[in-house]
Amino acid sequence: MTILFVFIVFVFSAAAGPRVHSKPKKYPNFTRTDSLHGYLSEYRRCYDVQFYDIDLDINPEKKYFKGAVTMIFLMVNPEQNVLQIDLDARLSIDSITIDGNRCEYSREYNAVFVSVPHRLSENIEHEITCWYQGKPVEANLPPWEGGTVWKTSKSGKPWFGVTCETLGASCWIPCKDHLSDEPERGMRMKLSVPKDLTAVSNGVLLSHETTENKEIWTWQTNYTINSYNITFYVGDFVKYSEEYKGVESTFMLEYYVLPEDLEKSKKSFAQTKDVIAAYEDFYGPYPWAKENFKLIESPYEGMEHQTAIAYGNGFKNMFDMDYIIVHEAAHEWWGNTVSVDDYAEVFIHEGFAMYSEFLYVERMFGTEKRDTYVNAWKRSMKNIRPVVGPRDVNFWDYSDTDPYVKGAWTLHGLRYVMDNDSLFFDILKSYNLSRRNSIVTVKDFTDYVNEKTGEDYSWYFKQYLYDERIPTLQYRWIPREEMAKYRDKVSYMLDFTDNEEELAPISYLQLKWTNVDSDFKMPVSFIMKDSTGNNKVIRFYVGNGLRKNQISNIPVTTDGIVVKRYGNPNGGSLYFNTSNFYYELENVKKLKNNGTKNNNNKRNRR
């Protein structure tokens, strides 16, 4: 999903200002409705959807749907005699059949419990068809608060679509509305819409028929697809396309826009080739080459609908790029082909997609501009809840942008903690390639990083994804009158002189981590700027590996470590370098031993 910050201009113009700290925020009181939607009960685990066949007649004047959806499925537990499908309670059901036999059913909120008329074999495919109609919910704030979106283009023709992440596809079609079950053989969508309108959906166009007063468009994808990515767009579209030669195959980039925006779109969409090329380099071949890549002008800002990305950013560039194209295209690799089974794990979708923005800026415009971009977004982190949230309740608070920004910063920092670019980028690509068309978790990615590096980075992911607290490095320059007290406690010496005989001036620095667990071992980086203005980066590597400039530990429960610095007699300055690491600095008068309890309090553990 795209992200919208109404304060985006403020973020970039005031990035150097002080951070506004937010208080930890409790989760809402989850209800029966949340569990019915988010929990994979025995009524859902018992069957596995293989294919969706959707047939809809849409009346935009009345904002009314009428149609049928057939789910082809396999029985996982043939002893189960009740199945749960999902459909918004505002939509009425005309009838339900399984394998052609009419079924009894009951409804509880948006859950529909269907009685199986006979024992279903686990070795053959079965069909459940639901005929329904009604006015689907309208989106209040699309795409964040989802539903149908009804607008009129400048030409006066209907322009509408649907976007339903978190709300769920059951807001407009009967389905198994759980992220864990993606139909292995994809879906087909037949859309009947008013005359002279174009309907676009996922995959490729199978047919187009024109009747006396209808246009009938049929689309199909043969790839697995998560339910919130199933979508459509209807409008007075103009189509154009261009060929793209990918790393493994050649496919088409297709664009559907309103006539009045044709020329503007050609200028803005020209960057699409660069975006796809960057992601093929970072993560491997475009996953859906057989069904091309589409951008469709949408009546809302954007959404990563598989092979049919919603574009509604007004053809505007920021940082010399259109972030909707850059962000949503990244989801074809992260979220669409590598997916999660619960919004608790949405870091895999959104953290990776936003980190792709960071990498794209670096690739196209260099590291200096990337650092400006990255550090501007740092201000928007809220740290009010852990990035990894509660499972089984379909929960994701879109107003909490940490799965995006803090998620992206977690990956950004991991690159520099590892200090091995070739290995880091190999991990991104090999993980994506090895997990394509599959469901993953944050733990799975963590385990993969540990396996590929031969080191344990569990402490890192635990801190940044499972804990809302901001790691804080407390420090102080020890006053001259206290130096004698610490001379026999020096843990490490920094030497910034070219001539080792020039040892003055000498200063002592004391460091200690807070807001972290005892296994936290983040590197600390300094920049030494000498009198000529040249920079030298010094890093403390914390841990047991054999590395240069290593300190075995920066304590979290003691008075900290003491660093003895040999300065430059010709002048110079020492700065903490936090540009690639996410933690805060606190200058304190004295570091005290507050004990383990203080450093492990208020921890949300699941």
Side-chain angles (χ1 to χ4, degrees):
M1 185 190 292
T2 182
I3 47 177
L4 173 66
F5 295 99
V6 295
F7 52 90
I8 195 166
V9 174
F10 168 77
V11 167
F12 280 93
S13 62
R19 180 189 303 281
V20 177
H21 290 268
S22 301
K23 295 181 179 180
K25 187 175 181 180
K26 293 182 179 180
Y27 291 107
N29 294 321
F30 297 113
T31 65
R32 170 69 172 165
T33 305
D34 298 320
S35 296
L36 285 170
H37 195 170
Y39 179 58
L40 196 63
S41 68
E42 66 271 25
Y43 306 110
R44 289 165 141 182
R45 289 195 304 269
C46 65
Y47 71 103
D48 180 19
V49 179
Q50 302 294 298
F51 189 80
Y52 285 104
D53 197 351
I54 303 167
D55 187 346
L56 281 182
D57 189 305
I58 304 177
N59 185 331
E61 184 179 351
K62 296 182 177 180
K63 301 179 181 179
Y64 199 88
F65 284 20
K66 184 174 184 178
V69 174
T70 296
M71 284 180 274
I72 299 175
F73 66 95
L74 294 172
M75 282 300 288
V76 176
N77 178 13
E79 303 304 318
Q80 185 69 32
N81 58 12
V82 176
L83 310 182
Q84 178 185 336
I85 65 173
D86 304 282
L87 182 66
D88 193 295
R90 284 163 284 201
L91 298 170
S92 63
I93 295 174
D94 297 327
S95 63
I96 298 176
T97 64
I98 293 181
D99 295 339
N101 299 298
R102 195 177 181 105
C103 301
E104 298 293 327
Y105 63 88
S106 62
R107 304 188 75 168
E108 183 180 3
Y109 302 109
N110 298 329
V112 181
F113 296 96
V114 183
S115 298
V116 177
H118 53 79
R119 189 179 188 277
L120 301 178
S121 169
E122 59 185 324
N123 299 317
I124 62 173
E125 290 184 339
H126 302 276
E127 294 184 359
I128 181 169
T129 301
C130 179
W131 286 266
Y132 74 109
Q133 59 184 301
K135 289 186 176 183
V137 61
E138 292 189 49
N140 289 322
L141 184 64
W144 305 277
E145 294 180 12
T148 50
V149 183
W150 308 92
K151 289 191 177 181
T152 302
S153 67
K154 290 182 180 179
S155 64
K157 292 186 177 182
W159 179 31
F160 56 95
V162 64
T163 178
C164 59
E165 189 175 13
T166 67
L167 180 60
S170 58
C171 75
W172 67 285
I173 55 172
C175 61
K176 182 179 177 180
D177 200 359
H178 195 276
L179 294 179
S180 65
D181 197 351
E182 299 184 356
E184 281 80 352
R185 295 194 281 110
M187 72 92 196
R188 177 169 55 241
M189 186 181 299
K190 181 180 178 181
L191 295 164
S192 298
V193 299
K195 193 85 167 180
D196 299 326
L197 294 180
T198 299
V200 187
S201 185
N202 313 89
V204 295
L205 181 64
L206 293 184
S207 66
H208 171 218
E209 305 171 50
T210 299
T211 66
E212 184 177 348
N213 57 2
K214 292 283 185 179
E215 305 284 351
I216 304 171
W217 301 82
T218 304
W219 292 80
Q220 182 164 326
T221 176
N222 295 312
Y223 292 109
T224 182
I225 183 171
N226 70 50
S227 57
Y228 74 76
N229 266 318
I230 298 173
T231 198
F232 68 85
Y233 312 81
V234 178
D236 180 26
F237 294 127
V238 175
K239 177 193 174 184
Y240 65 99
S241 60
E242 58 180 331
E243 186 178 81
Y244 176 83
K245 293 183 179 179
V247 296
E248 282 190 354
S249 58
T250 298
F251 54 94
M252 300 303 295
L253 308 180
E254 300 176 347
Y255 310 112
Y256 291 80
V257 298
L258 299 176
E260 59 266 27
D261 294 325
L262 179 60
E263 295 308 315
K264 287 187 292 186
S265 74
K266 288 181 178 179
K267 182 178 180 181
S268 184
F269 289 177
Q271 64 194 278
T272 306
K273 280 189 173 183
D274 290 333
V275 175
I276 300 298
Y279 294 157
E280 287 203 314
D281 187 22
F282 298 149
Y283 310 132
Y286 175 67
W288 325 112
K290 293 180 180 179
E291 296 179 359
N292 301 325
F293 175 93
K294 295 190 291 295
L295 283 175
I296 303 100
E297 188 172 3
S298 58
Y300 51 90
E301 186 162 355
M303 189 65 201
E304 65 265 22
H305 299 134
Q306 187 172 305
T307 72
I309 289 173
Y311 177 86
N313 194 37
F315 312 100
K316 302 187 296 283
N317 277 2
M318 180 185 69
F319 257 69
D320 298 320
M321 68 177 189
D322 191 319
Y323 91 100
I324 286 292
I325 299 175
V326 176
H327 182 89
E328 306 303 352
H331 277 302
E332 296 287 36
W333 283 263
W334 302 104
N336 295 356
T337 184
V338 178
S339 307
V340 300
D341 67 345
D342 194 294
Y343 286 114
E345 316 279 345
V346 77
F347 155 75
I348 298 290
H349 292 208
E350 300 299 350
F352 276 84
M354 187 159 193
Y355 183 60
S356 300
E357 296 178 41
F358 295 0
L359 293 181
Y360 182 75
V361 173
E362 177 181 336
R363 176 188 175 98
M364 299 301 295
F365 311 115
T367 56
E368 183 176 346
K369 198 162 188 176
R370 178 213 64 192
D371 287 347
T372 302
Y373 189 78
V374 166
N375 283 289
W377 282 118
K378 183 192 284 189
R379 280 183 48 81
S380 66
M381 277 185 267
K382 297 183 177 181
N383 300 293
I384 56 177
R385 295 189 182 115
V387 171
V388 177
R391 291 181 61 87
D392 301 328
V393 286
N394 196 63
F395 176 77
W396 175 24
D397 179 2
Y398 70 83
S399 66
D400 180 2
T401 55
D402 281 1
Y404 296 91
V405 186
K406 192 173 182 179
W409 255 95
T410 298
L411 294 168
H412 183 64
L414 178 66
R415 175 181 177 183
Y416 291 95
V417 171
M418 287 175 54
D419 197 27
N420 185 333
D421 263 12
S422 61
L423 178 57
F424 176 77
F425 283 102
D426 174 67
I427 287 172
L428 294 185
K429 179 178 285 189
S430 60
Y431 185 76
N432 189 280
L433 290 171
S434 66
R435 301 305 196 266
R436 290 200 168 186
N437 300 316
S438 63
I439 303 292
V440 303
T441 62
V442 174
K443 183 181 184 304
D444 180 67
F445 180 68
T446 302
D447 291 344
Y448 191 84
V449 170
N450 292 344
E451 179 183 352
K452 291 283 285 188
T453 61
E455 298 185 34
D456 188 358
Y457 285 96
S458 301
W459 62 270
Y460 180 82
F461 292 105
K462 179 180 67 172
Q463 179 67 46
Y464 287 103
L465 300 182
Y466 294 89
D467 195 328
E468 78 280 3
R469 298 174 300 171
I470 308 172
T472 301
L473 185 63
Q474 293 183 330
Y475 73 96
R476 70 167 185 144
W477 294 103
I478 298 174
R480 183 177 299 275
E481 59 270 20
E482 292 186 40
M483 283 186 181
K485 176 182 176 182
Y486 288 96
R487 281 172 184 164
D488 60 346
K489 297 182 180 180
V490 170
S491 305
Y492 186 76
M493 287 186 288
L494 288 171
D495 186 358
F496 296 104
T497 64
D498 295 325
N499 183 344
E500 292 186 2
E501 295 179 359
E502 297 175 344
L503 300 180
I506 296 175
S507 56
Y508 286 60
L509 177 67
Q510 198 172 10
L511 303 170
K512 175 187 171 183
W513 285 113
T514 62
N515 287 337
V516 298
D517 285 345
S518 59
D519 58 351
F520 188 77
K521 43 189 175 184
M522 185 76 150
V524 178
S525 179
F526 294 101
I527 296 176
M528 172 63 186
K529 187 181 289 292
D530 63 24
S531 59
T532 64
N534 294 321
N535 289 342
K536 180 179 181 182
V537 177
I538 301 294
R539 297 180 66 184
F540 293 114
Y541 291 91
V542 182
N544 296 320
L546 297 176
R547 291 171 167 173
K548 185 180 179 181
N549 297 339
Q550 179 178 305
I551 300 174
S552 60
N553 194 15
I554 296 182
V556 298
T557 59
T558 72
D559 287 346
I561 66 167
V562 179
V563 178
K564 185 177 182 180
R565 171 199 172 200
Y566 292 120
N568 190 324
N570 297 318
S573 304
L574 182 67
Y575 301 93
F576 286 96
N577 176 25
T578 61
S579 61
N580 297 318
F581 303 95
Y582 180 46
Y583 59 86
E584 293 203 334
L585 294 167
E586 181 182 0
N587 191 346
V588 296
K589 294 181 179 180
K590 188 173 182 179
L591 294 178
K592 296 181 179 180
N593 182 354
N594 294 321
T596 303
K597 183 177 180 180
N598 183 66
N599 288 283
N600 293 280
N601 62 345
K602 298 182 180 178
R603 178 75 183 278
N604 288 324
R605 301 185 186 275
R606 282 178 300 280

